[in-house]
Amino acid sequence: SALAQAPVDFTSSSAVSMAMASETSSERMVVVVLGGPGSGKGTSCSLIQECFGCAHFSTGELIRAEIEDASSGFGRSIQELVASGRLVETKTVLKLLKNAVHRAKRSAGVLLDGFPRTVDQAVLYEKEGLPLPTHVIYLDVPRKVLRERILSRGAKSVKRRSDDNPEAIEKRLNDFEQQNQKLLEFYKAHGKLHVVDGTMPPAAVGERVKAILSGRASSKL
């Protein structure tokens, strides 16, 4: 992994105070959508953006846009990491994200797609003064289904992603599984986490997500 931060004890007083501060520090809806690669985060985020007017920030899209900028040496260094299936450093992601959120400061809310990925990232995100989460949606999809979806996506895509190959896919899934459980526990401990069955048809997933964000349903653990 390209992440090199020291481990964070998310039960410590500093981490707890930052997490609990989200209850009062922001009037806007701030939604974090989590899930493995191929879990349907992009589809759910598009629906949330349309229904609730949130500015949608996919760290993957921000990274790809930087890579595709031919004038960006920063983008070329990111490309080397992505092509090998490694994760981009948190400080790099936060730099891209902070700039994007600032440009959308007048939006009705903030929608984070696939970030943070770890407890370390969650705490560093809060330290940057970025808007704190009000809802965390986790799209729960088994590893076997994620693998099938990623391979299918790569086969159908005209422009295949450099990390949609079997070796890189397995590394991405391993990284996700190793990091995800503690992150879910972190948000669960602070009453933010809602789990949605990501194997349902997209329309059903969308309706569940809308119900949670509108206060008509709860999938909290």
Side-chain angles (χ1 to χ4, degrees):
S1 168
L3 298 176
Q5 292 78 26
V8 175
D9 177 6
F10 58 80
T11 62
S12 68
S13 59
S14 60
V16 169
S17 63
M18 283 187 292
M20 295 302 290
S22 63
E23 297 290 347
T24 58
S25 61
S26 176
E27 295 180 355
R28 294 194 299 172
M29 178 183 288
V30 181
V31 184
V32 174
V33 178
L34 302 176
S39 61
K41 295 187 300 293
T43 300
S44 291
C45 285
S46 295
L47 181 144
I48 295 170
Q49 182 181 27
E50 178 182 352
C51 294
F52 296 95
C54 296
H56 176 201
F57 302 109
S58 161
T59 54
E61 290 179 6
L62 291 174
I63 289 168
R64 285 189 286 275
E66 194 70 24
I67 290 172
E68 291 171 2
D69 182 353
S71 66
S72 174
F74 189 42
R76 287 191 292 275
S77 65
I78 295 173
Q79 167 64 17
E80 294 177 2
L81 290 173
V82 173
S84 65
R86 289 180 290 167
L87 296 177
V88 178
E89 292 181 355
T90 300
K91 64 182 180 180
T92 299
V93 175
L94 284 173
K95 178 180 178 181
L96 296 173
L97 187 58
K98 194 169 187 178
N99 290 339
V101 169
H102 179 73
R103 290 194 297 269
K105 59 186 177 182
R106 296 184 182 277
S107 65
V110 172
L111 173 59
L112 302 178
D113 178 351
F115 187 90
R117 295 176 185 269
T118 67
V119 174
D120 289 358
Q121 289 183 341
V123 174
L124 288 171
Y125 171 91
E126 293 176 354
K127 287 182 176 179
E128 286 291 323
L130 287 155
L132 300 174
T134 58
H135 302 77
V136 177
I137 305 291
Y138 173 54
L139 301 176
D140 189 13
V141 180
R143 180 182 180 121
K144 179 180 178 181
V145 178
L146 292 176
R147 184 188 300 110
E148 291 170 352
R149 288 181 179 181
I150 297 168
L151 291 171
S152 175
R153 177 180 66 189
K156 295 176 182 177
S157 176
V158 174
K159 184 178 181 181
R160 183 170 180 171
R161 285 174 47 168
S162 60
D163 56 349
D164 274 357
N165 61 75
E167 294 78 13
I169 288 171
E170 290 306 309
K171 188 172 192 320
R172 289 165 65 198
L173 291 173
N174 287 338
D175 287 339
F176 170 73
E177 289 180 351
Q178 290 169 7
Q179 298 160 354
N180 186 58
Q181 189 58 42
K182 287 185 178 180
L183 183 61
L184 297 183
E185 291 171 359
F186 174 79
Y187 284 125
K188 176 184 176 182
H190 302 300
K192 306 295 181 185
L193 180 65
H194 300 264
V195 178
V196 175
D197 180 0
T199 66
M200 295 189 297
V205 172
E207 286 303 314
R208 189 65 179 168
V209 169
K210 285 193 295 183
I212 291 168
L213 296 181
S214 64
R216 292 185 284 112
S218 175
S219 295
K220 288 186 179 180
L221 291 179

